[in-house]
Amino acid sequence: MKAVCEGVELSEAVLKVVKACASKTVTPVLECIKLGAENDKLILTATDGEISICKTIKAEVMEEGEVCVPGRYFSEFIKKLEDVQIVLSSNGGKMDIIYADSQTAMQVLSADDFPRIDLDINENSFTLKTEDLKKFISATSFCCSSDDSRPILKGCQFVISGNDICVTSLDGFRLATIKGQVIESTSDLELVCPARTLNEIEKMVEGNGDTKIYVQRGMILVSTDNTVLTSRLYNGDFIKKENIIPKDFTTSVIVEKAVLKASIERAAVLVRNDKNSLIIFDINSDRIEISSNSEIGSVQEPVKAEIEGKDIRIAMNSKFIIDAVNALNEDKIVLTFNSQIQPFVCENVENKDRLYLILPVRTANNA
């Protein structure tokens, strides 16, 4: 293989596909980026067995061929050559990288061992406004689990019925769900997509247009700007959110989002190294008393609020409540509670398109 390309274009492509390289594996080729030179293009592909990313750039191809380069090393090296033209030339077990008056050799693997990437995924599809897709991902993916013991919770559930779409995630301690509309769908669909895949899609898609997502045989495919991403979907039964979200509440609190967020963040500073990063809401009369206590010190701040229902004192993980408040997009938000040991809900006051449910932390006072 021998090809000439611009350093800046190669660097941008490498930085996109290297995210799909495996980091810990007994299969060395999964740590590689496959370079394929054909016609007038260079095709870069990486996969870890779950997600794959393929990017095509222009190149002057002198000799067609394929080779696998070590992904992380190649990425870091090429990143430092963005302002020069690069010649890639492979022969046997090494590849020469020629730039300006310099030359570097890098060990490579045979492309014959690289997994075949199936790009024939088009049985079903659904189309979203790109800005809506990004909104759905950012509003839910942070609530996915990172625990390998329950893989399905490492993804977001997409349920499409007619023109309606609902995206849900949970990790056993909190839940996020958001509703919206699709532009079109070939059929009603239900799928669970890995959060890691969705976060890469969110970075990949841009602009004010539409994004089409293809689904087939437990796989999805998204294509944009000479970049193709494919990923496995999770199999299994996702938890039914209807069985988790309370339908009635005994206490309702309306509060200014910015004021609440600032107070929570201050209270969280002193407990950020504690296991549960515990803060306490003491809700009564016309205020929320927010407090935290650790070996470093203590915080106690009142925040004015409109309160209906019973007084309540409830403990929670500060990170969970901060994430939920950040994900809401109105100036005023509403928090609804039932008891100090039951899950509580955070929502916008007006637009109820999204909902965040958080499980309180049991303390000595409410166990």
Side-chain angles (χ1 to χ4, degrees), residues 317-336:
N317 182 300
S318 60
K319 181 181 185 308
F320 293 172
I321 185 67
I322 289 171
D323 285 346
V325 170
N326 281 336
L328 296 170
N329 58 354
E330 290 184 357
D331 292 339
K332 285 190 174 184
I333 62 175
V334 58
L335 313 177
T336 44

Side-chain angles (χ1 to χ4, degrees), residues 128 267 279 311 358 365:
L128 297 160
I279 64 170
D311 294 349
I358 300 172
N365 294 327

Side-chain angles (χ1 to χ4, degrees), residues 10 69 73-74 77-78 81 86-89 95-99 102-106:
L10 181 60
V69 296
Y73 294 109
F74 187 69
F77 192 82
I78 295 299
L81 298 176
I86 297 173
V87 180
L88 302 174
S89 178
M95 181 177 71
D96 292 326
I97 305 171
I98 304 165
Y99 48 96
S102 303
Q103 180 171 323
T104 296
M106 189 172 289

Side-chain angles (χ1 to χ4, degrees), residues 280-284 287-291 300-303:
I280 294 172
F281 280 14
D282 197 343
I283 299 165
N284 61 78
R287 67 174 61 184
I288 308 172
E289 197 83 32
I290 299 173
S291 62
Q300 190 165 340
E301 293 190 11
V303 174

Side-chain angles (χ1 to χ4, degrees), residues 67-79:
V67 70
C68 291
V69 296
R72 306 293 172 186
Y73 294 109
F74 187 69
S75 170
E76 291 181 21
F77 192 82
I78 295 299
K79 188 178 179 181

